[in-house]
Amino acid sequence: MFCLRRFLLSPRSCQFRKWSSDSFFSQLNQCTNEDQVFDLVGKNKIKLSEKHVETAVDLLWQFQKKKPDLLRNISYIRDHPHFLILRILAENKIGSMSNEALVKMLYNLLKFNIDAHDSLVEEIVMEGWRRLDSLNMPELSKFSLCLHEQQMFHSPLMGQIAEIVNKNLASMQDTRVLSVLMVTISSVISQSFRDRLIQKAEFLLDTVDPIPLNYARRFVQFLKNVKFCHRPLLHKCNKVFLQNVNQLDVDNVGIILGFYQLLQFNNTDFRLVAKQKLTEMMDDCTSPSRFTRLFAALAPIAEPEVREQLIEASLLMADEFDHLQVLCMIETMQEMACRSSQLIQKISSLLLKYLDLYNPTELTRITQSLIALRCPNPDLYAKLQILLINHLKVNIIPAEISMLIRTLSTLPSSFMDEVVVSRIDAILPQCNLSDLSSFAAALMKWVRRDKSTWQSPSGPYGMLLQKVNHCAHERIEKANDLDLLLEEMKYASGEWFEEVLLEDVIAAFQRLKDQIMWTNVVEFSSFLIRTSFFCPPLLDRIAAVTLQHSDKIYNSGTYSLVLPFAILNYDPPQSEEFFKTCIGSLSCQLGCFEPHLLVLLAFALAIAEYFPENLVTAIFNVDFLTKLDAQLATLPDTLNRRVRLRLMELNRAVCLECPEFQVPWFHERYCQQLQRKSNGSLSALHQQIHSLLGEILGGSHFAKAPALTPYYYGIDFECILDRNKKPLPYVEQSMVMAELETVHWGRDGQYAGRKGLPPGAQRIAVEFLDSKDFCKNSEHLKGEVVIKKRHLEILGYRVVQIPHFEWNSMELSSKDAWIEYLKKKIFEEV
């Protein structure tokens, strides 16, 4: 090889360059396949210049590029002896190559799967680094893409490229170049640089027409990389996707839907178009690779009959899947909540076969899916545990160790051994709050399984938990950056977090509340919603920032800003102005909201007693409800059920509180279906209270448990008192909603009475309020309890509430005390 290199560089070979140039290029242009190119290279190897080499390599890639994936023979080209000659020639002529040829050579080599540590690839990367300042923007973007494919995401070289982009951003007008650079440098940019890149991308999307689909897709990929759901840019990109519907194939649809899912961004129009396009492609996806990509994109949003077809096709093709395709299948089955035992069994058997091929992250994803699908395969779980522990023994990265331990704890019959203890103990000081939360959750699970350790705080579990607690408290005390603390809290949850950390975290947020700005107020608001923690100073700060910067907060953020005040039942100091500002922002952008989000937002406002007429009119409209139905068919089952429930509750609230809007009640059948699915049995506590009510009222027939009201509110207990507060035998409201004419409304829209009761008689609704009805840290009622009480009173009930902390208090520790308490609540409180 070294002799060949010396010969190829000899002066003699240069004598023929001019003569051979035209002839070689002419013959090269006549080649129709790779073998002809190699024959030509073999015949002229001693005469080839750098131009010949780069052109030959590029032509080889162009031949491959035109072929479908399954027909490409990359390994044949890469291993061909004449391709080795081209690589040797290229390495000897790197210094002679132009910038464009140098970058193109690197790009083509990587397309042929040449290893990143190959000497030629390394030499070209080093030469490109030396020439970095002389590369123009298109060359720089292609060079950065090559580095990105080599996973050099955080390298100093990528940092230098980011600096060049930063200096030249203002003059950059090429959308393709910008989109590539944004993706490749996304790991090494600051928040301010991120915002400038987004601003530039928005400008180009607004001013350049047309925008190819791939450019917009890269902008969305950039947002995914930086974990930032910038909705204005997402909506602009989504518009490009809808304008290029004909270019949407299985790969593009799957990638875009995956990005949207990670960014928690929904767009009804795109999902409906995607569902239609994918359904049309079903018959063409006959290879395992294309089918699994189709299954991943279509199954979660498909109609039930289409899902069944996909499941049947999966069973027929399953044996042809490779290990990555099986991984894709099991994750999609989890997403679609697959209940096909036959498919679960088949895919789990394939996983057992391929399990040794997966890396730790993939093993974690597999475990999560198997647990979610309740896969009954003990052998698979046993092998997973062995592999996870083996990876745990050698891993040194805190986030990955946390991931492995969290995953181990979810496995049936898993246990904590010395390996787990030593790995946790070794990295505790390096862990963030998210990692510590994972450790604590895992330890709590193992504690419950190993009952011998429950009473032993000095045992392995107890001592380790104490260390985890100490590290967590220490980290919270040192926190001085609200955004960083918020990021660490994003996935922290569970019993340990709520009991050990939550109050300290809230105290830290109060200390840092001046850092709540319009840029993070939506995310911070979401944190308070998730924790249900009642903290007026933080809620006041959210309201103040919203009022000050309402013009900067994107319209869909309105829901996250209104929700904590509704859920936590709190009016900020400038309550009326706050809600008017939010409603004003909403009213100007009604058409920009996703249908399901508009329903959720309207119900949140209803809890707070706000019913904007334009919003109510927009929702209770045939066209809107038709669009909502179409969207719900593409949403995950959990979100689908939640939105349908909120629509019913909104319909009920409007009927009860705003009869002047003349919105009809159309959820009779839906409520009946919910009622049939509900469990009507009483808990032990409810049986106790029902028995006591029977003693107080004169018999069990004086109280109904549970009871159903008009508009299908379920109440724990119902009794009837006459005008003299004497119990009356319970009268079953058999009509429920079938005879709503018994509910009378006055001319002012207020409740005027109900037929069927003696004059002056009143129904009493007795509600037991457990801990979930109150904010996490106080005796402050949540908004949904308040709106229910409000509605029951409109329906003519007197509502008696029994808070759990009163019923379970030391003062009420005997039967006599409970009876006196209930008598006072029912007969004395008015």
Side-chain angles (χ1 to χ4, degrees):
M1 185 182 293
F2 293 109
C3 293
L4 179 60
R5 289 187 183 183
R6 286 196 296 271
F7 178 77
L8 292 171
L9 282 173
S10 67
R12 184 174 180 274
S13 66
C14 299
Q15 296 174 10
F16 300 96
R17 180 168 299 176
K18 186 173 182 180
W19 174 85
S20 64
S21 178
D22 292 342
S23 174
F24 184 81
F25 283 130
S26 176
Q27 295 176 68
L28 203 58
N29 289 336
Q30 295 174 13
C31 293
T32 58
N33 58 56
E34 297 90 334
D35 289 327
Q36 291 178 4
V37 174
F38 284 139
D39 287 344
L40 196 58
V41 169
K43 293 174 183 177
N44 295 274
K45 58 189 175 186
I46 63 173
K47 311 172 191 175
L48 300 182
S49 68
E50 72 278 0
K51 291 283 188 186
H52 298 146
V53 173
E54 67 190 58
T55 307
V57 173
D58 187 54
L59 185 59
L60 288 169
W61 168 242
Q62 295 307 318
F63 284 139
Q64 292 294 308
K65 188 177 179 181
K66 293 175 183 177
K67 298 177 182 179
D69 289 348
L70 291 176
L71 297 180
R72 290 181 181 177
N73 48 352
I74 297 292
S75 58
Y76 170 74
I77 304 298
R78 184 186 61 234
D79 300 334
H80 198 284
H82 288 165
F83 190 71
L84 177 60
I85 291 174
L86 288 173
R87 289 166 56 188
I88 294 169
L89 288 166
E91 190 168 352
N92 287 330
K93 299 175 184 297
I94 286 176
S96 307
M97 292 181 187
S98 65
N99 290 346
E100 182 183 4
L102 185 78
V103 173
K104 185 184 286 188
M105 178 63 72
L106 178 60
Y107 179 83
N108 289 334
L109 290 171
L110 294 177
K111 288 298 180 184
F112 286 116
N113 295 334
I114 302 299
D115 191 80
H117 298 294
D118 181 85
S119 60
L120 175 56
V121 173
E122 290 182 340
E123 286 293 331
I124 295 178
V125 170
M126 293 304 297
E127 182 66 21
W129 196 342
R130 285 189 285 268
R131 300 187 196 183
L132 205 57
D133 291 329
S134 66
L135 298 180
N136 60 34
M137 284 298 144
E139 292 163 353
L140 189 69
S141 71
K142 200 164 193 175
F143 185 57
S144 69
L145 182 60
C146 294
L147 301 178
H148 193 265
E149 288 184 6
Q150 296 178 73
Q151 300 185 358
M152 298 173 66
F153 310 126
H154 302 92
S155 70
L157 176 52
M158 198 67 86
Q160 284 185 239
I161 293 173
E163 182 59 32
I164 294 171
V165 175
N166 189 29
K167 290 177 181 177
N168 293 275
L169 187 60
S171 60
M172 204 177 295
Q173 299 299 323
D174 189 322
T175 313
R176 183 190 65 80
V177 169
L178 178 65
S179 66
V180 171
L181 286 167
M182 284 175 66
V183 170
T184 56
I185 66 174
S186 56
S187 298
V188 292
I189 59 174
S190 65
Q191 184 174 318
S192 59
F193 188 18
R194 176 201 70 186
D195 294 341
R196 289 180 59 229
L197 288 167
I198 290 172
Q199 187 178 7
K200 186 69 176 184
E202 286 191 274
F203 171 77
L204 292 179
L205 286 170
D206 288 335
T207 56
V208 177
D209 190 47
I211 297 288
L213 184 145
N214 282 344
Y215 301 178
R217 194 187 74 183
R218 288 194 204 105
F219 288 142
V220 178
Q221 184 180 354
F222 167 79
L223 293 176
K224 186 269 298 185
N225 288 355
V226 296
K227 300 177 182 177
F228 183 47
C229 183
H230 189 275
R231 293 186 180 272
L233 179 56
L234 284 169
H235 280 292
K236 287 182 171 68
C237 292
N238 193 75
K239 185 178 178 182
V240 174
F241 301 147
L242 293 175
Q243 290 170 347
N244 292 273
V245 169
N246 292 334
Q247 297 179 36
L248 288 172
D249 57 15
V250 172
D251 290 334
N252 275 317
V253 171
I255 290 169
I256 294 167
L257 286 175
F259 290 162
Y260 280 1
Q261 184 178 14
L262 290 170
L263 291 166
Q264 297 184 330
F265 175 77
N266 276 311
N267 182 270
T268 304
D269 294 334
F270 182 79
R271 291 177 76 89
L272 291 174
V273 165
K275 184 167 76 168
Q276 180 184 346
K277 292 283 290 184
L278 292 168
T279 305
E280 292 170 357
M281 297 174 192
M282 284 178 64
D283 292 337
D284 299 327
C285 297
T286 54
S287 68
S289 60
R290 281 182 62 80
F291 177 80
T292 49
R293 293 199 292 269
L294 173 79
F295 187 88
L298 179 58
I301 62 176
E303 303 291 344
E305 57 273 16
V306 176
R307 285 190 180 186
E308 286 303 316
Q309 293 176 34
L310 290 169
I311 289 171
E312 290 174 10
S314 301
L315 289 167
L316 293 173
M317 201 180 296
D319 290 325
E320 301 177 48
F321 295 155
D322 65 22
H323 73 289
L324 293 178
Q325 290 159 0
V326 173
L327 173 61
C328 176
M329 289 293 298
I330 193 69
E331 289 190 300
T332 307
M333 289 162 60
Q334 177 196 356
E335 186 182 350
M336 62 187 275
C338 177
R339 289 295 174 259
S340 169
S341 58
Q342 193 176 359
L343 184 58
I344 293 172
Q345 184 178 356
K346 182 63 180 177
I347 296 299
S348 64
S349 67
L350 291 171
L351 283 170
L352 187 58
K353 171 183 171 184
Y354 291 132
L355 215 51
D356 292 319
L357 301 177
Y358 297 112
N359 63 38
T361 302
E362 290 166 344
L363 289 173
T364 294
R365 289 156 53 190
I366 288 168
T367 305
Q368 290 172 347
S369 298
L370 291 171
I371 297 295
L373 293 169
R374 299 177 181 178
C375 173
N377 192 324
D379 293 339
L380 183 55
Y381 289 129
K383 189 170 181 181
L384 269 169
Q385 179 161 324
I386 293 169
L387 290 172
L388 288 168
I389 289 177
N390 288 341
H391 284 297
L392 184 62
K393 289 177 180 178
V394 298
N395 209 303
I396 59 172
I397 301 173
E400 292 188 8
I401 292 175
S402 164
M403 173 189 73
L404 290 168
I405 289 174
R406 183 179 65 248
T407 306
L408 272 169
S409 71
T410 63
L411 289 173
S413 306
S414 69
F415 57 90
M416 187 176 76
D417 60 11
E418 293 181 5
V419 173
V420 176
V421 173
S422 63
R423 299 310 290 147
I424 294 177
D425 196 37
I427 64 160
L428 276 181
Q430 306 171 51
C431 292
N432 61 29
L433 291 170
S434 180
D435 298 331
L436 294 171
S437 178
S438 294
F439 291 151
L443 288 168
M444 296 291 283
K445 286 182 181 178
W446 280 317
V447 163
R448 292 190 182 97
R449 289 176 189 168
D450 188 358
K451 297 183 180 181
S452 63
T453 64
W454 283 12
Q455 306 299 326
S456 178
S458 59
Y461 296 106
M463 293 181 66
L464 203 50
L465 266 174
Q466 289 175 26
K467 288 183 180 181
V468 171
N469 293 351
H470 174 75
C471 289
H473 288 301
E474 191 175 60
R475 191 167 182 87
I476 293 169
E477 288 173 8
K478 293 179 179 178
N480 57 13
D481 186 318
L482 184 136
D483 287 331
L484 183 59
L485 184 57
L486 206 54
E487 179 65 27
E488 293 191 17
M489 288 289 99
K490 187 175 290 185
Y491 303 109
S493 61
E495 180 184 344
W496 174 82
F497 170 69
E498 292 176 1
E499 294 182 1
V500 177
L501 280 197
L502 186 53
E503 287 193 12
D504 285 353
V505 170
I506 294 294
F509 279 133
Q510 288 191 73
R511 175 165 48 85
L512 303 170
K513 69 178 182 179
D514 290 341
Q515 295 181 31
I516 301 175
M517 312 295 289
W518 71 269
T519 53
N520 58 22
V521 68
V522 172
E523 187 178 354
F524 183 77
S525 180
S526 299
F527 169 79
L528 282 188
I529 295 166
R530 181 163 59 87
T531 60
S532 295
F533 198 97
F534 183 65
C535 182
L538 292 177
L539 289 166
D540 292 345
R541 177 64 182 175
I542 291 173
V545 171
T546 302
L547 285 171
Q548 187 177 357
H549 299 286
S550 60
D551 58 323
K552 298 177 183 176
I553 298 170
Y554 198 65
N555 50 45
S556 58
T558 307
Y559 172 61
S560 295
L561 296 175
V562 167
L563 195 56
F565 297 92
I567 286 180
L568 301 177
N569 182 30
Y570 178 71
D571 290 330
Q574 298 170 293
S575 176
E576 191 171 344
E577 186 182 355
F578 168 76
F579 280 103
K580 280 185 177 180
T581 298
C582 291
I583 292 169
S585 300
L586 162 68
S587 300
C588 297
Q589 302 286 338
L590 273 180
C592 299
F593 279 82
E594 287 296 297
H596 78 287
L597 191 59
L598 212 55
V599 170
L600 297 175
L601 177 52
F603 181 66
L605 289 169
I607 293 175
E609 296 186 79
Y610 286 90
F611 295 86
E613 187 171 358
N614 62 337
L615 177 58
V616 173
T617 304
I619 290 175
F620 295 104
N621 171 283
V622 173
D623 291 338
F624 175 88
L625 293 174
T626 301
K627 187 176 181 181
L628 177 64
D629 270 338
Q631 184 203 22
L632 292 178
T634 69
L635 295 179
D637 290 343
T638 303
L639 182 56
N640 184 324
R641 290 193 295 269
R642 179 174 161 228
V643 175
R644 291 189 186 278
L645 178 63
R646 291 297 184 235
L647 180 64
M648 181 277 288
E649 291 172 326
L650 177 63
N651 187 197
R652 178 168 60 194
V654 172
C655 288
L656 287 171
E657 299 195 56
C658 303
E660 69 274 13
F661 288 169
Q662 297 186 339
V663 172
W665 168 251
F666 57 90
H667 279 88
E668 177 82 4
R669 185 179 300 174
Y670 171 81
C671 289
Q672 289 174 354
Q673 290 172 349
L674 287 184
Q675 191 62 26
R676 284 195 291 269
K677 293 177 183 177
S678 65
N679 181 6
S681 61
L682 295 178
S683 67
L685 185 143
H686 284 74
Q687 289 177 20
Q688 177 195 31
I689 296 175
H690 188 222
S691 174
L692 293 172
L693 284 172
E695 292 190 33
I696 293 168
L697 298 172
S700 60
H701 61 286
F702 285 94
K704 171 69 173 175
L708 206 60
T709 76
Y711 293 99
Y712 288 88
Y713 265 121
I715 51 180
D716 294 334
F717 313 96
E718 182 179 342
C719 57
I720 304 171
L721 301 182
D722 66 12
R723 67 175 60 192
N724 298 316
K725 296 187 179 181
K726 298 290 185 180
L728 293 175
Y730 179 76
V731 178
E732 182 71 49
Q733 297 186 71
S734 58
M735 59 91 186
V736 183
M737 286 307 305
E739 300 177 9
L740 264 180
E741 63 270 15
T742 59
V743 178
H744 289 257
W745 302 97
R747 292 182 180 179
D748 58 354
Q750 297 301 308
Y751 173 79
R754 185 193 290 119
K755 297 177 185 177
L757 292 181
Q762 187 176 41
R763 292 184 183 273
I764 310 296
V766 181
E767 289 275 88
F768 181 82
L769 305 180
D770 61 22
S771 58
K772 66 179 174 52
D773 296 315
F774 297 88
C775 297
K776 191 76 69 182
N777 58 309
S778 71
E779 299 175 0
H780 186 80
L781 281 172
K782 288 183 178 178
E784 290 192 56
V785 178
V786 174
I787 191 176
K788 182 177 181 180
K789 182 175 185 289
R790 194 164 75 230
H791 288 172
L792 291 176
E793 288 172 347
I794 290 174
L795 288 168
Y797 286 86
R798 181 163 70 85
V799 181
V800 173
Q801 295 177 327
I802 306 174
H804 69 97
F805 48 82
E806 291 183 1
W807 187 258
N808 296 322
S809 65
M810 292 296 292
E811 294 178 12
L812 303 182
S813 55
S814 66
K815 180 179 178 180
D816 291 341
W818 283 323
I819 289 176
E820 286 304 313
Y821 174 83
L822 289 174
K823 282 182 179 179
K824 181 179 178 182
K825 284 278 187 180
I826 294 172
F827 296 111
E828 297 180 20
E829 293 185 5
V830 179

